[in-house]
PDB file of all heavy atoms in Angstrom:
ATOM      1  N   ALA V   1       8.916  12.840  10.222  1.00 97.00           N
ATOM      2  CA  ALA V   1       8.247  14.048  10.734  1.00 97.00           C
ATOM      3  C   ALA V   1       7.904  14.985   9.583  1.00 97.00           C
ATOM      4  O   ALA V   1       6.813  15.565   9.550  1.00 97.00           O
ATOM      5  CB  ALA V   1       9.144  14.742  11.751  1.00 97.00           C
ATOM      6  N   LYS V   2       8.808  15.111   8.638  1.00 96.00           N
ATOM      7  CA  LYS V   2       8.592  15.994   7.491  1.00 96.00           C
ATOM      8  C   LYS V   2       7.330  15.601   6.713  1.00 96.00           C
ATOM      9  O   LYS V   2       6.607  16.451   6.208  1.00 96.00           O
ATOM     10  CB  LYS V   2       9.809  15.945   6.562  1.00 96.00           C
ATOM     11  CG  LYS V   2       9.694  16.813   5.336  1.00 96.00           C
ATOM     12  CD  LYS V   2      10.964  16.756   4.505  1.00 96.00           C
ATOM     13  CE  LYS V   2      10.802  17.624   3.268  1.00 96.00           C
ATOM     14  NZ  LYS V   2      12.041  17.818   2.558  1.00 96.00           N
ATOM     15  N   PHE V   3       7.063  14.291   6.637  1.00 97.00           N
ATOM     16  CA  PHE V   3       5.897  13.799   5.917  1.00 97.00           C
ATOM     17  C   PHE V   3       4.699  13.548   6.834  1.00 97.00           C
ATOM     18  O   PHE V   3       3.688  13.052   6.395  1.00 97.00           O
ATOM     19  CB  PHE V   3       6.254  12.507   5.152  1.00 97.00           C
ATOM     20  CG  PHE V   3       7.005  12.789   3.891  1.00 97.00           C
ATOM     21  CD1 PHE V   3       8.389  12.861   3.899  1.00 97.00           C
ATOM     22  CD2 PHE V   3       6.345  13.012   2.702  1.00 97.00           C
ATOM     23  CE1 PHE V   3       9.100  13.132   2.749  1.00 97.00           C
ATOM     24  CE2 PHE V   3       7.037  13.291   1.539  1.00 97.00           C
ATOM     25  CZ  PHE V   3       8.412  13.351   1.567  1.00 97.00           C
ATOM     26  N   GLY V   4       4.821  13.891   8.112  1.00 96.00           N
ATOM     27  CA  GLY V   4       3.717  13.735   9.037  1.00 96.00           C
ATOM     28  C   GLY V   4       3.288  12.289   9.242  1.00 96.00           C
ATOM     29  O   GLY V   4       2.095  11.997   9.369  1.00 96.00           O
ATOM     30  N   VAL V   5       4.259  11.393   9.270  1.00 97.00           N
ATOM     31  CA  VAL V   5       3.936   9.981   9.436  1.00 97.00           C
ATOM     32  C   VAL V   5       3.451   9.714  10.854  1.00 97.00           C
ATOM     33  O   VAL V   5       4.190   9.922  11.811  1.00 97.00           O
ATOM     34  CB  VAL V   5       5.172   9.088   9.121  1.00 97.00           C
ATOM     35  CG1 VAL V   5       4.852   7.622   9.358  1.00 97.00           C
ATOM     36  CG2 VAL V   5       5.643   9.315   7.697  1.00 97.00           C
ATOM     37  N   MET V   6       2.206   9.303  10.971  1.00 96.00           N
ATOM     38  CA  MET V   6       1.609   8.994  12.278  1.00 96.00           C
ATOM     39  C   MET V   6       1.374   7.493  12.420  1.00 96.00           C
ATOM     40  O   MET V   6       1.274   6.975  13.522  1.00 96.00           O
ATOM     41  CB  MET V   6       0.270   9.715  12.454  1.00 96.00           C
ATOM     42  CG  MET V   6       0.389  11.205  12.478  1.00 96.00           C
ATOM     43  SD  MET V   6       1.375  11.712  13.867  1.00 96.00           S
ATOM     44  CE  MET V   6       0.900  13.394  14.042  1.00 96.00           C
ATOM     45  N   SER V   7       1.230   6.833  11.288  1.00 97.00           N
ATOM     46  CA  SER V   7       0.912   5.411  11.266  1.00 97.00           C
ATOM     47  C   SER V   7       1.635   4.783  10.077  1.00 97.00           C
ATOM     48  O   SER V   7       1.765   5.415   9.031  1.00 97.00           O
ATOM     49  CB  SER V   7      -0.610   5.265  11.118  1.00 97.00           C
ATOM     50  OG  SER V   7      -1.005   3.936  11.251  1.00 97.00           O
ATOM     51  N   ILE V   8       2.114   3.566  10.257  1.00 98.00           N
ATOM     52  CA  ILE V   8       2.823   2.896   9.178  1.00 98.00           C
ATOM     53  C   ILE V   8       2.201   1.526   8.908  1.00 98.00           C
ATOM     54  O   ILE V   8       1.536   0.992   9.789  1.00 98.00           O
ATOM     55  CB  ILE V   8       4.341   2.761   9.487  1.00 98.00           C
ATOM     56  CG1 ILE V   8       4.546   2.105  10.850  1.00 98.00           C
ATOM     57  CG2 ILE V   8       5.035   4.075   9.371  1.00 98.00           C
ATOM     58  CD1 ILE V   8       5.994   1.783  11.173  1.00 98.00           C
ATOM     59  N   PRO V   9       2.367   0.950   7.743  1.00 98.00           N
ATOM     60  CA  PRO V   9       3.109   1.509   6.619  1.00 98.00           C
ATOM     61  C   PRO V   9       2.380   2.710   6.004  1.00 98.00           C
ATOM     62  O   PRO V   9       1.165   2.758   5.980  1.00 98.00           O
ATOM     63  CB  PRO V   9       3.176   0.347   5.617  1.00 98.00           C
ATOM     64  CG  PRO V   9       1.980  -0.488   5.927  1.00 98.00           C
ATOM     65  CD  PRO V   9       1.765  -0.350   7.405  1.00 98.00           C
ATOM     66  N   MET V  10       3.172   3.661   5.544  1.00 98.00           N
ATOM     67  CA  MET V  10       2.621   4.798   4.809  1.00 98.00           C
ATOM     68  C   MET V  10       3.345   4.863   3.474  1.00 98.00           C
ATOM     69  O   MET V  10       4.568   4.852   3.434  1.00 98.00           O
ATOM     70  CB  MET V  10       2.794   6.104   5.563  1.00 98.00           C
ATOM     71  CG  MET V  10       2.160   7.288   4.859  1.00 98.00           C
ATOM     72  SD  MET V  10       2.047   8.741   5.922  1.00 98.00           S
ATOM     73  CE  MET V  10       3.110   9.861   5.020  1.00 98.00           C
ATOM     74  N   LEU V  11       2.569   4.914   2.405  1.00 98.00           N
ATOM     75  CA  LEU V  11       3.128   5.001   1.067  1.00 98.00           C
ATOM     76  C   LEU V  11       2.894   6.402   0.534  1.00 98.00           C
ATOM     77  O   LEU V  11       1.802   6.939   0.656  1.00 98.00           O
ATOM     78  CB  LEU V  11       2.454   3.977   0.148  1.00 98.00           C
ATOM     79  CG  LEU V  11       2.567   2.526   0.595  1.00 98.00           C
ATOM     80  CD1 LEU V  11       1.731   1.620  -0.302  1.00 98.00           C
ATOM     81  CD2 LEU V  11       4.009   2.062   0.602  1.00 98.00           C
ATOM     82  N   VAL V  12       3.927   7.002  -0.037  1.00 98.00           N
ATOM     83  CA  VAL V  12       3.837   8.351  -0.584  1.00 98.00           C
ATOM     84  C   VAL V  12       4.386   8.330  -2.007  1.00 98.00           C
ATOM     85  O   VAL V  12       5.446   7.763  -2.256  1.00 98.00           O
ATOM     86  CB  VAL V  12       4.642   9.356   0.273  1.00 98.00           C
ATOM     87  CG1 VAL V  12       4.600  10.750  -0.329  1.00 98.00           C
ATOM     88  CG2 VAL V  12       4.127   9.388   1.702  1.00 98.00           C
ATOM     89  N   VAL V  13       3.649   8.955  -2.916  1.00 98.00           N
ATOM     90  CA  VAL V  13       4.123   9.092  -4.297  1.00 98.00           C
ATOM     91  C   VAL V  13       4.560  10.537  -4.498  1.00 98.00           C
ATOM     92  O   VAL V  13       3.794  11.465  -4.235  1.00 98.00           O
ATOM     93  CB  VAL V  13       3.016   8.720  -5.318  1.00 98.00           C
ATOM     94  CG1 VAL V  13       3.519   8.940  -6.744  1.00 98.00           C
ATOM     95  CG2 VAL V  13       2.572   7.286  -5.125  1.00 98.00           C
ATOM     96  N   ILE V  14       5.799  10.709  -4.935  1.00 98.00           N
ATOM     97  CA  ILE V  14       6.358  12.044  -5.191  1.00 98.00           C
ATOM     98  C   ILE V  14       6.529  12.196  -6.698  1.00 98.00           C
ATOM     99  O   ILE V  14       7.154  11.355  -7.341  1.00 98.00           O
ATOM    100  CB  ILE V  14       7.748  12.208  -4.518  1.00 98.00           C
ATOM    101  CG1 ILE V  14       7.708  11.869  -3.041  1.00 98.00           C
ATOM    102  CG2 ILE V  14       8.310  13.608  -4.789  1.00 98.00           C
ATOM    103  CD1 ILE V  14       7.149  12.921  -2.148  1.00 98.00           C
ATOM    104  N   LYS V  15       5.950  13.261  -7.243  1.00 97.00           N
ATOM    105  CA  LYS V  15       6.139  13.580  -8.672  1.00 97.00           C
ATOM    106  C   LYS V  15       6.645  15.009  -8.768  1.00 97.00           C
ATOM    107  O   LYS V  15       6.046  15.904  -8.163  1.00 97.00           O
ATOM    108  CB  LYS V  15       4.828  13.429  -9.440  1.00 97.00           C
ATOM    109  CG  LYS V  15       4.364  12.001  -9.558  1.00 97.00           C
ATOM    110  CD  LYS V  15       3.102  11.871 -10.388  1.00 97.00           C
ATOM    111  CE  LYS V  15       2.662  10.427 -10.435  1.00 97.00           C
ATOM    112  NZ  LYS V  15       1.349  10.254 -11.072  1.00 97.00           N
ATOM    113  N   ASP V  16       7.718  15.208  -9.483  1.00 95.00           N
ATOM    114  CA  ASP V  16       8.312  16.537  -9.651  1.00 95.00           C
ATOM    115  C   ASP V  16       8.576  17.228  -8.309  1.00 95.00           C
ATOM    116  O   ASP V  16       8.340  18.421  -8.157  1.00 95.00           O
ATOM    117  CB  ASP V  16       7.429  17.425 -10.532  1.00 95.00           C
ATOM    118  CG  ASP V  16       7.197  16.813 -11.911  1.00 95.00           C
ATOM    119  OD1 ASP V  16       8.179  16.291 -12.481  1.00 95.00           O
ATOM    120  OD2 ASP V  16       6.063  16.851 -12.404  1.00 95.00           O
ATOM    121  N   GLY V  17       9.023  16.448  -7.314  1.00 95.00           N
ATOM    122  CA  GLY V  17       9.385  17.004  -6.017  1.00 95.00           C
ATOM    123  C   GLY V  17       8.229  17.285  -5.083  1.00 95.00           C
ATOM    124  O   GLY V  17       8.419  17.777  -3.980  1.00 95.00           O
ATOM    125  N   ASN V  18       6.988  16.962  -5.524  1.00 96.00           N
ATOM    126  CA  ASN V  18       5.813  17.220  -4.686  1.00 96.00           C
ATOM    127  C   ASN V  18       5.034  15.937  -4.392  1.00 96.00           C
ATOM    128  O   ASN V  18       5.032  15.018  -5.200  1.00 96.00           O
ATOM    129  CB  ASN V  18       4.859  18.207  -5.392  1.00 96.00           C
ATOM    130  CG  ASN V  18       5.523  19.544  -5.617  1.00 96.00           C
ATOM    131  OD1 ASN V  18       6.024  20.142  -4.691  1.00 96.00           O
ATOM    132  ND2 ASN V  18       5.547  19.980  -6.867  1.00 96.00           N
ATOM    133  N   VAL V  19       4.337  15.921  -3.253  1.00 97.00           N
ATOM    134  CA  VAL V  19       3.506  14.766  -2.906  1.00 97.00           C
ATOM    135  C   VAL V  19       2.312  14.732  -3.858  1.00 97.00           C
ATOM    136  O   VAL V  19       1.543  15.678  -3.940  1.00 97.00           O
ATOM    137  CB  VAL V  19       3.015  14.849  -1.440  1.00 97.00           C
ATOM    138  CG1 VAL V  19       2.044  13.719  -1.138  1.00 97.00           C
ATOM    139  CG2 VAL V  19       4.185  14.819  -0.475  1.00 97.00           C
ATOM    140  N   ALA V  20       2.187  13.623  -4.600  1.00 97.00           N
ATOM    141  CA  ALA V  20       1.099  13.474  -5.564  1.00 97.00           C
ATOM    142  C   ALA V  20      -0.009  12.595  -5.001  1.00 97.00           C
ATOM    143  O   ALA V  20      -1.164  12.711  -5.381  1.00 97.00           O
ATOM    144  CB  ALA V  20       1.618  12.882  -6.856  1.00 97.00           C
ATOM    145  N   ASN V  21       0.363  11.706  -4.060  1.00 97.00           N
ATOM    146  CA  ASN V  21      -0.608  10.762  -3.506  1.00 97.00           C
ATOM    147  C   ASN V  21      -0.016  10.142  -2.259  1.00 97.00           C
ATOM    148  O   ASN V  21       1.193  10.053  -2.118  1.00 97.00           O
ATOM    149  CB  ASN V  21      -0.885   9.665  -4.544  1.00 97.00           C
ATOM    150  CG  ASN V  21      -2.330   9.246  -4.548  1.00 97.00           C
ATOM    151  OD1 ASN V  21      -3.030   9.383  -3.553  1.00 97.00           O
ATOM    152  ND2 ASN V  21      -2.778   8.712  -5.675  1.00 97.00           N
ATOM    153  N   LYS V  22      -0.894   9.691  -1.361  1.00 97.00           N
ATOM    154  CA  LYS V  22      -0.402   8.922  -0.212  1.00 97.00           C
ATOM    155  C   LYS V  22      -1.505   8.038   0.340  1.00 97.00           C
ATOM    156  O   LYS V  22      -2.679   8.297   0.143  1.00 97.00           O
ATOM    157  CB  LYS V  22       0.216   9.794   0.841  1.00 97.00           C
ATOM    158  CG  LYS V  22      -0.658  10.733   1.596  1.00 97.00           C
ATOM    159  CD  LYS V  22       0.220  11.399   2.663  1.00 97.00           C
ATOM    160  CE  LYS V  22      -0.365  12.679   3.162  1.00 97.00           C
ATOM    161  NZ  LYS V  22       0.506  13.310   4.139  1.00 97.00           N
ATOM    162  N   ALA V  23      -1.068   6.989   1.022  1.00 97.00           N
ATOM    163  CA  ALA V  23      -1.996   6.040   1.613  1.00 97.00           C
ATOM    164  C   ALA V  23      -1.359   5.458   2.860  1.00 97.00           C
ATOM    165  O   ALA V  23      -0.151   5.256   2.920  1.00 97.00           O
ATOM    166  CB  ALA V  23      -2.312   4.925   0.617  1.00 97.00           C
ATOM    167  N   VAL V  24      -2.189   5.185   3.859  1.00 97.00           N
ATOM    168  CA  VAL V  24      -1.714   4.604   5.112  1.00 97.00           C
ATOM    169  C   VAL V  24      -2.320   3.223   5.285  1.00 97.00           C
ATOM    170  O   VAL V  24      -3.501   3.024   5.009  1.00 97.00           O
ATOM    171  CB  VAL V  24      -2.097   5.506   6.308  1.00 97.00           C
ATOM    172  CG1 VAL V  24      -1.683   4.861   7.620  1.00 97.00           C
ATOM    173  CG2 VAL V  24      -1.466   6.881   6.169  1.00 97.00           C
ATOM    174  N   GLY V  25      -1.501   2.285   5.720  1.00 97.00           N
ATOM    175  CA  GLY V  25      -1.984   0.935   5.979  1.00 97.00           C
ATOM    176  C   GLY V  25      -1.582  -0.040   4.883  1.00 97.00           C
ATOM    177  O   GLY V  25      -1.232   0.359   3.788  1.00 97.00           O
ATOM    178  N   ALA V  26      -1.646  -1.320   5.223  1.00 97.00           N
ATOM    179  CA  ALA V  26      -1.302  -2.366   4.257  1.00 97.00           C
ATOM    180  C   ALA V  26      -2.354  -2.395   3.164  1.00 97.00           C
ATOM    181  O   ALA V  26      -3.544  -2.256   3.441  1.00 97.00           O
ATOM    182  CB  ALA V  26      -1.221  -3.713   4.962  1.00 97.00           C
ATOM    183  N   ARG V  27      -1.909  -2.560   1.933  1.00 96.00           N
ATOM    184  CA  ARG V  27      -2.799  -2.580   0.774  1.00 96.00           C
ATOM    185  C   ARG V  27      -2.344  -3.653  -0.194  1.00 96.00           C
ATOM    186  O   ARG V  27      -1.162  -3.971  -0.270  1.00 96.00           O
ATOM    187  CB  ARG V  27      -2.744  -1.240   0.035  1.00 96.00           C
ATOM    188  CG  ARG V  27      -3.137  -0.097   0.903  1.00 96.00           C
ATOM    189  CD  ARG V  27      -3.209   1.209   0.140  1.00 96.00           C
ATOM    190  NE  ARG V  27      -3.605   2.264   1.045  1.00 96.00           N
ATOM    191  CZ  ARG V  27      -4.849   2.466   1.462  1.00 96.00           C
ATOM    192  NH1 ARG V  27      -5.814   1.682   1.073  1.00 96.00           N
ATOM    193  NH2 ARG V  27      -5.139   3.447   2.279  1.00 96.00           N
ATOM    194  N   PRO V  28      -3.303  -4.178  -0.984  1.00 97.00           N
ATOM    195  CA  PRO V  28      -2.907  -5.142  -2.015  1.00 97.00           C
ATOM    196  C   PRO V  28      -2.161  -4.420  -3.153  1.00 97.00           C
ATOM    197  O   PRO V  28      -2.259  -3.203  -3.293  1.00 97.00           O
ATOM    198  CB  PRO V  28      -4.236  -5.722  -2.506  1.00 97.00           C
ATOM    199  CG  PRO V  28      -5.281  -4.748  -2.105  1.00 97.00           C
ATOM    200  CD  PRO V  28      -4.746  -3.999  -0.902  1.00 97.00           C
ATOM    201  N   LYS V  29      -1.461  -5.186  -3.942  1.00 98.00           N
ATOM    202  CA  LYS V  29      -0.635  -4.625  -5.017  1.00 98.00           C
ATOM    203  C   LYS V  29      -1.433  -3.726  -5.962  1.00 98.00           C
ATOM    204  O   LYS V  29      -0.966  -2.653  -6.329  1.00 98.00           O
ATOM    205  CB  LYS V  29      -0.002  -5.788  -5.800  1.00 98.00           C
ATOM    206  CG  LYS V  29       0.965  -5.328  -6.871  1.00 98.00           C
ATOM    207  CD  LYS V  29       1.609  -6.532  -7.517  1.00 98.00           C
ATOM    208  CE  LYS V  29       2.587  -6.110  -8.597  1.00 98.00           C
ATOM    209  NZ  LYS V  29       3.198  -7.280  -9.225  1.00 98.00           N
ATOM    210  N   GLU V  30      -2.654  -4.133  -6.317  1.00 98.00           N
ATOM    211  CA  GLU V  30      -3.478  -3.347  -7.256  1.00 98.00           C
ATOM    212  C   GLU V  30      -3.703  -1.935  -6.710  1.00 98.00           C
ATOM    213  O   GLU V  30      -3.633  -0.959  -7.448  1.00 98.00           O
ATOM    214  CB  GLU V  30      -4.836  -4.014  -7.500  1.00 98.00           C
ATOM    215  CG  GLU V  30      -4.774  -5.411  -8.080  1.00 98.00           C
ATOM    216  CD  GLU V  30      -4.335  -6.468  -7.084  1.00 98.00           C
ATOM    217  OE1 GLU V  30      -4.775  -6.465  -5.908  1.00 98.00           O
ATOM    218  OE2 GLU V  30      -3.492  -7.318  -7.474  1.00 98.00           O
ATOM    219  N   GLU V  31      -4.000  -1.824  -5.430  1.00 97.00           N
ATOM    220  CA  GLU V  31      -4.262  -0.519  -4.821  1.00 97.00           C
ATOM    221  C   GLU V  31      -2.990   0.329  -4.765  1.00 97.00           C
ATOM    222  O   GLU V  31      -3.057   1.551  -4.933  1.00 97.00           O
ATOM    223  CB  GLU V  31      -4.858  -0.672  -3.427  1.00 97.00           C
ATOM    224  CG  GLU V  31      -6.315  -1.055  -3.429  1.00 97.00           C
ATOM    225  CD  GLU V  31      -6.922  -1.079  -2.037  1.00 97.00           C
ATOM    226  OE1 GLU V  31      -6.514  -0.289  -1.164  1.00 97.00           O
ATOM    227  OE2 GLU V  31      -7.789  -1.942  -1.813  1.00 97.00           O
ATOM    228  N   ILE V  32      -1.860  -0.309  -4.529  1.00 97.00           N
ATOM    229  CA  ILE V  32      -0.591   0.427  -4.509  1.00 97.00           C
ATOM    230  C   ILE V  32      -0.295   0.969  -5.909  1.00 97.00           C
ATOM    231  O   ILE V  32       0.085   2.121  -6.062  1.00 97.00           O
ATOM    232  CB  ILE V  32       0.561  -0.470  -3.983  1.00 97.00           C
ATOM    233  CG1 ILE V  32       0.315  -0.817  -2.519  1.00 97.00           C
ATOM    234  CG2 ILE V  32       1.914   0.237  -4.163  1.00 97.00           C
ATOM    235  CD1 ILE V  32       1.247  -1.869  -1.948  1.00 97.00           C
ATOM    236  N   LEU V  33      -0.530   0.147  -6.921  1.00 97.00           N
ATOM    237  CA  LEU V  33      -0.283   0.578  -8.302  1.00 97.00           C
ATOM    238  C   LEU V  33      -1.203   1.731  -8.698  1.00 97.00           C
ATOM    239  O   LEU V  33      -0.822   2.620  -9.443  1.00 97.00           O
ATOM    240  CB  LEU V  33      -0.444  -0.607  -9.263  1.00 97.00           C
ATOM    241  CG  LEU V  33       0.668  -1.667  -9.172  1.00 97.00           C
ATOM    242  CD1 LEU V  33       0.311  -2.862 -10.034  1.00 97.00           C
ATOM    243  CD2 LEU V  33       2.004  -1.097  -9.564  1.00 97.00           C
TER     244      LEU V  33
END
């Protein structure tokens, strides 16, 4: 709920305690990187 997850999988990148990036749905490794 804190991250507003409505659909999974959801990937979130946290840098220095803040959300730097996020993506919803299955993705290939290159896109995740």
